[in-house]
């Protein structure tokens, strides 16, 4: 029976000891321990979060760098291509111009040649006229004996003239 | 991984300790028996003597002589307070002696004339000394742990701190938090204190030599105080829902109006919960100690070596079981206290109504 009748002294001491331990631990141990564990958990969580963010940023930066590199590459390519087209254009233009110039020179040459020819012809004609005039003067000076002789002479001269003209 | 290894090592150490303890117990006891053959071995006296309380801390008996640590007796008799060592009790101190038989058998009584009167007795008995030891152990351990947290809250826990942290977290986050609910921070210090107090007392109780061996948690006074505090924690909430559920529960009118059947049941429930807590812990620990003592005592009661062959392995098995039970009972007490407190919390009620 004494087993299940609580002893007053033990009851008293248990109450005193337990409440004292409870009070001390509740003030100095449990809040510190659970608080610190919570703080540590929060710290770890924050660290993981910031590490994740940093990683994200890093990969973003990498992507950005890649993008920039690609853009730069593209720009370079387009510049090169443009330069090439410009070069080609310049070359083709130069060619064309040269051709035009050459054609013009040839034309000019042709024209001057024609001119020269005409001039030469003119000179020749002038000479012929002078010659014919001289011949006719000579004829006039020469005392033509007969009409027949005269006629023969004129024909002869005319043939000569025609022969020159025909040339 | 390291922790489980450590726990395993601890368990092995424990088991070895227990085996040696029983061996030495057997050797001592058998020596004692051959020394005084005329004195009959009384099994029930041994068992109840051990699971009860005593005024001095008995260590061993060698050649018929008891070796014990004297403790402090504090009594208030007819002539006021008296404080004396329990070593004086043998021949009696003033009018005080230990009653030999009758209503107050084994307790300090004061002789007034021819009658034995029980004085107001708040002596430091074996159980009180064990309680003090447990309290000191708890304060040292948890204040040390708290200090190491304070020193560097971010560092990984190590040593004692690392050993205690999973236990503290298991109670705080896995019992108090889900069972009590939103307000758990207010109550978790009590749950933690109760858990570790019971745990330490339980384990000290199954160590069969000096700092342990007292049957503290198997004493109804101790479990009564613990259950009583849980009762206070549960009922002093001043929570409308809780009291409405007791005095005007949501049941058909016939069950609560002319005859307050439900109210009767609910009010009864207020008291049966902590009483169940009290008896569960008490009965489990008493039966564990009793089982051990009976199994070992049986050898001397029958006085045959062949009994030892059976009862020693069985006792070892029971002790291993007790190692488990010590933890489970502390855990169950913490969990049920949390649930009782949680049931009296408003959030739980609202969640329940949804």
């Amino acid at each position: 029976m004494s087993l299940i009748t609580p002893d007053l002294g033990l009851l008293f001491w248990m109450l005193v000891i337990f409440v004292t331990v409870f009070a001390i631990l509740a003030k100095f141990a449990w809040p510190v321990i659970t608080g610190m564990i919570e703080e540590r958990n929060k710290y770890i969580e924050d660290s993981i979060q910031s590490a994740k963010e940093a990683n994200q940023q890093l990969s973003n930066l990498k992507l950005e760098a890649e993008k920039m590199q690609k853009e730069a590459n593209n720009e370079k390519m387009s510049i090169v291509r443009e330069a090439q087209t410009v070069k080609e254009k310049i070359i083709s233009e130069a060619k064309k111009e040269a051709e035009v110039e050459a054609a013009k020179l040839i034309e000019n040459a042709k024209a001057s040649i024609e001119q020269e020819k005409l001039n030469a012809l003119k000179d020749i004609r002038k000479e012929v006229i002078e010659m014919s005039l001289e011949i006719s003067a000579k004829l006039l000076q020469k005392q033509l004996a007969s009409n027949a002789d005269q006629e023969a002479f004129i024909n002869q001269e005319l043939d000569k003239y025609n022969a020159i003209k025909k040339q | 991984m390291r922790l489980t290894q450590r726990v395993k090592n601890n368990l092995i150490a424990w088991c070895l300790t227990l085996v040696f303890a029983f061996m030495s117990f057997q050797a001592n006891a058998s020596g004692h028996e051959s020394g005084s053959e005329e004195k009959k071995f009384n099994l029930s006296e041994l068992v109840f003597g051990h699971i009860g309380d005593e005024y001095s801390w008995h260590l061993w008996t060698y050649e018929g002589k008891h070796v014990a640590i004297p403790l402090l007796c504090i009594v208030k008799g007819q002539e006021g307070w008296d404080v004396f060592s329990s070593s004086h009790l043998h021949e009696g101190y003033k009018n005080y002696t230990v009653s030999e038989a009758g209503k107050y058998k084994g307790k300090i009584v004061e002789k007034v004339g021819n009658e034995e009167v029980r004085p107001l007795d708040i002596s430091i008995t074996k159980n009180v000394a064990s309680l003090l030891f447990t309290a000191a152990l708890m304060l040292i351990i948890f204040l040390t742990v708290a200090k190491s947290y304070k020193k560097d809250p971010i560092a990984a826990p190590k040593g004692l701190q690392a050993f205690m942290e999973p236990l503290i977290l298991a109670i705080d986050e896995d019992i108090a938090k889900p069972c009590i609910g939103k307000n758990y921070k207010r109550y978790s210090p009590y749950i933690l204190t109760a858990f570790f107090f019971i745990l330490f007392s339980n384990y000290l109780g199954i160590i069969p030599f000096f700092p342990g061996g007292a049957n503290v948690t198997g004493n109804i006074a101790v479990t009564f105080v613990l259950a009583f505090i849980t009762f206070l924690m549960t009922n002093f909430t001043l929570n409308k829902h809780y009291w409405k559920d007791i005095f005007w529960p949501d049941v058909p009118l016939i069950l609560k109006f002319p005859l307050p059947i439900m109210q009767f049941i609910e009010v009864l429930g207020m008291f049966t919960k902590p009483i169940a807590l009290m008896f569960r812990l008490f009965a489990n620990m008493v039966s564990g100690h009793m089982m051990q003592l009976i199994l070992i005592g049986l050898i001397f009661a029958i006085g045959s070596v062949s009994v030892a062959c059976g009862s020693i392995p069985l006792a070892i098995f029971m002790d291993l079981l007790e190692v488990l039970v010590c933890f489970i009972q502390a855990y169950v007490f913490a969990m049920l206290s949390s649930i009782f407190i949680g049931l009296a919390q408003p959030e739980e009620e609202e969640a329940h109504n949804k």
Side-chain angles (χ1 to χ4, degrees):
Chain A
M1 195 55 208
S2 72
L3 205 59
I4 54 163
T5 33
D7 182 70
L8 198 72
L10 188 56
L11 213 63
F12 166 76
W13 281 114
M14 173 61 189
L15 198 64
V16 169
I17 292 167
F18 185 80
V19 168
T20 311
V21 169
F22 174 41
I24 293 173
L25 291 183
K27 186 145 175 51
F28 299 110
W30 306 129
V32 174
I33 293 171
T34 52
M36 291 299 176
I37 288 173
E38 221 160 79
E39 197 174 300
R40 198 182 60 205
N41 283 355
K42 206 167 156 278
Y43 173 76
I44 290 169
E45 223 164 78
D46 286 352
S47 299
I48 289 171
Q49 192 60 37
S50 56
K52 238 184 222 168
E53 269 165 25
N55 240 357
Q56 187 69 38
Q57 270 174 354
L58 201 68
S59 64
N60 276 356
L61 276 180
K62 226 181 229 171
L63 273 179
E64 215 161 293
E66 250 166 47
K67 213 170 125 193
M68 274 168 88
Q69 206 169 6
K70 217 182 242 172
E71 262 170 31
N73 241 2
N74 281 350
E75 196 133 329
K76 188 186 91 184
M77 295 277 268
S78 71
I79 287 170
V80 167
R81 214 174 292 135
E82 217 167 286
Q84 206 123 20
T85 51
V86 166
K87 184 186 95 184
E88 270 162 25
K89 209 170 143 194
I90 288 169
I91 288 172
S92 71
E93 255 168 39
K95 251 185 200 163
K96 225 183 252 169
E97 232 162 87
E99 260 165 34
V100 168
E101 200 76 8
K104 228 190 223 166
L105 278 176
I106 289 166
E107 199 81 0
N108 279 354
K110 265 185 189 165
S112 64
I113 286 167
E114 197 72 14
Q115 195 64 40
E116 288 299 307
K117 208 170 114 190
L118 283 178
N119 283 351
L121 272 177
K122 224 189 237 171
D123 283 349
I124 287 167
R125 226 171 254 168
K126 212 170 150 187
E127 209 129 313
V128 168
I129 290 166
E130 272 173 16
M131 219 158 43
S132 56
L133 278 175
E134 225 171 285
I135 290 166
S136 26
K138 262 178 202 168
L139 267 175
L140 287 170
Q141 276 170 351
K142 201 174 169 184
Q143 301 275 321
L144 287 175
S146 61
N147 279 349
D149 284 345
Q150 276 182 334
E151 248 174 72
F153 181 73
I154 288 168
N155 278 336
Q156 197 190 334
E157 285 304 311
L158 272 176
D159 281 344
K160 264 188 202 167
Y161 177 70
N162 274 342
I164 290 165
K165 205 183 176 185
K166 246 174 214 170
Q167 267 179 353
Chain B
M1 215 43 207
R2 238 181 65 203
L3 189 71
T4 53
Q5 188 59 43
R6 194 179 286 176
V7 169
K8 221 184 272 172
N9 286 347
N10 275 358
L11 269 179
I12 290 166
W14 269 83
C15 297
L16 285 176
T17 313
L18 290 168
V19 170
F20 286 126
F22 283 128
M23 281 174 175
S24 57
F25 184 16
Q26 184 199 12
N28 271 353
S30 57
H32 175 227
E33 196 187 31
S34 60
S36 53
E37 265 172 289
E38 71 279 359
K39 195 181 166 194
K40 206 171 172 288
F41 182 80
N42 188 336
L43 184 58
S44 102
E45 205 165 82
L46 171 87
V47 170
F48 284 96
H50 173 83
I51 62 181
D53 209 350
E54 54 184 7
Y55 285 102
S56 59
W57 200 316
H58 177 247
L59 298 180
W60 61 77
T61 306
Y62 185 65
E63 288 182 347
K65 256 181 97 178
H66 297 290
V67 180
I69 299 172
L71 299 168
L72 214 57
C73 294
I74 307 167
V75 290
K76 183 178 184 282
Q78 307 286 332
E79 290 145 30
W81 290 100
D82 270 304
V83 179
F84 52 95
S85 162
S86 69
S87 56
H88 295 305
L89 272 177
H90 202 57
E91 60 262 23
Y93 179 85
K94 287 187 183 173
N95 289 330
Y96 304 111
T97 47
V98 175
S99 176
E100 301 277 325
K103 209 164 80 173
Y104 302 128
K105 190 180 174 228
K107 308 259 183 198
I108 291 181
V109 285
E110 191 178 14
K111 282 224 162 75
V112 181
N114 266 340
E115 291 212 13
E116 287 184 339
V117 179
R118 181 101 168 92
L120 181 63
D121 179 7
I122 52 165
S123 304
I124 309 289
T125 58
K126 183 182 174 185
N127 279 345
V128 176
S130 184
L131 280 175
L132 284 168
F133 184 75
T134 306
L137 204 62
M138 273 183 79
L139 290 178
I140 290 168
I141 287 177
F142 292 110
L143 291 178
T144 311
V145 169
K147 210 164 115 195
S148 43
Y149 274 108
K150 234 183 210 163
K151 213 166 64 190
D152 190 358
I154 285 150
K158 50 184 181 289
L160 188 64
Q161 189 190 6
F163 187 76
M164 283 301 164
E165 187 179 305
L167 271 176
I168 295 169
L169 283 181
I171 302 307
D172 188 46
E173 302 218 315
D174 297 342
I175 293 183
K177 201 174 179 180
C179 292
I180 297 177
K182 213 177 83 189
N183 263 344
Y184 85 100
K185 281 228 178 301
R186 249 178 81 199
Y187 297 99
S188 78
Y190 167 65
I191 303 295
L192 282 165
T193 313
F195 172 79
F196 283 108
F197 204 93
I198 296 168
L199 189 75
F200 284 25
S201 299
N202 283 354
Y203 278 125
L204 279 174
I206 59 169
I207 300 175
F209 41 82
F210 168 56
N215 181 29
V216 173
T217 36
N219 190 300
I220 199 89
V222 171
T223 59
F224 174 81
V225 169
L226 289 166
F228 181 67
I229 295 173
T230 297
F231 174 77
L232 291 183
M233 290 267 172
T234 312
N235 289 288
F236 279 79
T237 57
L238 298 174
N239 167 8
K240 243 191 275 170
H241 278 282
Y242 176 69
W243 293 109
K244 184 190 164 281
D245 244 31
I246 287 173
F247 291 112
W248 200 251
D250 279 334
V251 288
L253 195 65
I254 189 86
L255 283 175
K256 59 185 176 183
F257 178 51
L259 277 171
I261 302 169
M262 279 313 287
Q263 284 89 328
F264 176 70
I265 292 170
E266 291 281 355
V267 170
L268 206 63
M270 273 168 63
F271 295 99
T272 52
K273 282 178 203 160
I275 287 172
L277 269 186
M278 172 175 88
F279 277 112
R280 178 179 297 109
L281 182 58
F282 160 74
N284 271 292
M285 295 328 291
V286 160
S287 63
H289 281 251
M290 228 180 227
M291 209 54 211
Q292 283 303 327
L293 290 159
I294 288 171
L295 281 172
I296 300 299
L298 213 57
I299 302 166
F300 309 106
I302 295 171
S304 151
V305 181
S306 57
V307 180
C309 297
S311 68
I312 294 272
L314 203 60
I316 291 172
F317 170 74
M318 288 307 294
D319 224 54
L320 291 178
L321 203 66
E322 200 63 11
V323 170
L324 202 66
V325 168
C326 283
F327 183 84
I328 291 171
Q329 284 311 314
Y331 193 83
V332 163
F333 191 94
M335 190 162 72
L336 287 178
S337 291
S338 302
I339 288 172
F340 294 158
I341 293 169
L343 283 174
Q345 295 295 309
E347 302 85 40
E348 292 290 308
E349 291 296 319
E350 278 155 25
H352 193 71
N353 288 345
K354 277 173 199 170

